[in-house]
Amino acid sequence: MTCKGVALMTDKVRQVLAERQGGAGSAAREVVAALQLAPPRIGMTPRPGPDSVALVGYNVWLWVDGPDAQTFGPATATASIDAWTVTVTGYVEWVDWDTGDGNVVRCWGPGTPYVVARDGLGASPDCGHVYSRQGEMTVTATARWRVDWVTSDGAQSGTFTTDQVATVPVTVGEWQVRLKRDEPR
């Protein structure tokens, strides 16, 4: 076995030991509760609600509304559990937006909030979708959190992921224009 192979094997053994019941990794997963991670608050145009309709063929903007430490990160907590003092830091790596019509849009940041005076009918610069059919949809935002942890002595560390999910119902309609029969074309 090469030196690189031994180093990889040693890293794997450390990870397994850290993650076992009662290990530092197990303690780190418990500390994550102190971060109070929350589902992302869904921001989108049009704003979801009973009197709101997205239109087929028009840009829908998607963003995390008011991102903060609990909904987007970074969030940090330190706690002692069993024999371990562990510091965890979590942040959202990406948000997957299931638009309810069979499409998923992956956005690598919180997205850009829509401002009507600035953005008009334009497309989002970083996170958007265009519906191609009408219907009742459910938009699901799944925030993938990366959590890095380290023991107070720095001897053990690791990374794991966890997801936070939010949903909103959205009505998608179609704009139709009808001419009266006696109007010239």
Side-chain angles (χ1 to χ4, degrees):
M1 188 176 282
T2 66
C3 289
K4 186 175 182 180
V6 170
L8 289 173
M9 182 66 79
T10 303
D11 288 344
K12 184 66 176 168
V13 169
R14 281 189 190 131
Q15 180 182 356
V16 168
L17 290 174
E19 294 296 326
R20 79 177 199 282
Q21 187 67 25
S26 179
R29 289 183 183 278
E30 291 183 47
V31 175
V32 168
L35 295 179
Q36 299 178 346
L37 304 181
R41 289 181 293 272
I42 293 178
M44 64 181 293
T45 58
R47 291 257 183 214
D51 298 326
S52 184
V53 177
L55 294 174
V56 170
Y58 283 83
N59 293 302
V60 173
W61 289 43
L62 304 165
W63 69 92
V64 175
D65 199 20
D68 57 24
Q70 280 64 51
T71 61
F72 208 79
T76 301
T78 301
S80 295
I81 296 177
D82 298 326
W84 305 102
T85 299
V86 179
T87 298
V88 296
T89 301
Y91 61 92
V92 173
E93 287 188 296
W94 67 76
V95 179
D96 281 340
W97 297 86
D98 181 332
T99 56
D101 61 352
N103 292 289
V104 176
V105 178
R106 177 165 287 174
C107 299
W108 294 94
T112 302
Y114 176 81
V115 177
V116 70
R118 175 191 71 202
D119 303 317
L121 296 176
S124 170
D126 51 11
C127 192
H129 179 64
V130 176
Y131 284 99
S132 61
R133 64 179 171 85
Q134 60 185 350
E136 298 299 320
M137 312 291 178
T138 298
V139 172
T140 303
T142 303
R144 169 58 54 93
W145 284 80
R146 174 186 167 132
V147 180
D148 298 320
W149 62 269
V150 63
T151 56
S152 59
D153 63 4
Q156 294 188 46
S157 62
T159 298
F160 59 90
T161 61
T162 186
D163 292 342
Q164 293 289 322
V165 180
T167 62
V168 295
V170 175
T171 300
V172 179
E174 194 165 6
W175 189 270
Q176 296 182 2
V177 177
R178 296 183 187 193
L179 297 174
K180 292 182 182 177
R181 288 189 178 255
D182 58 346
E183 285 186 11
R185 291 186 185 213

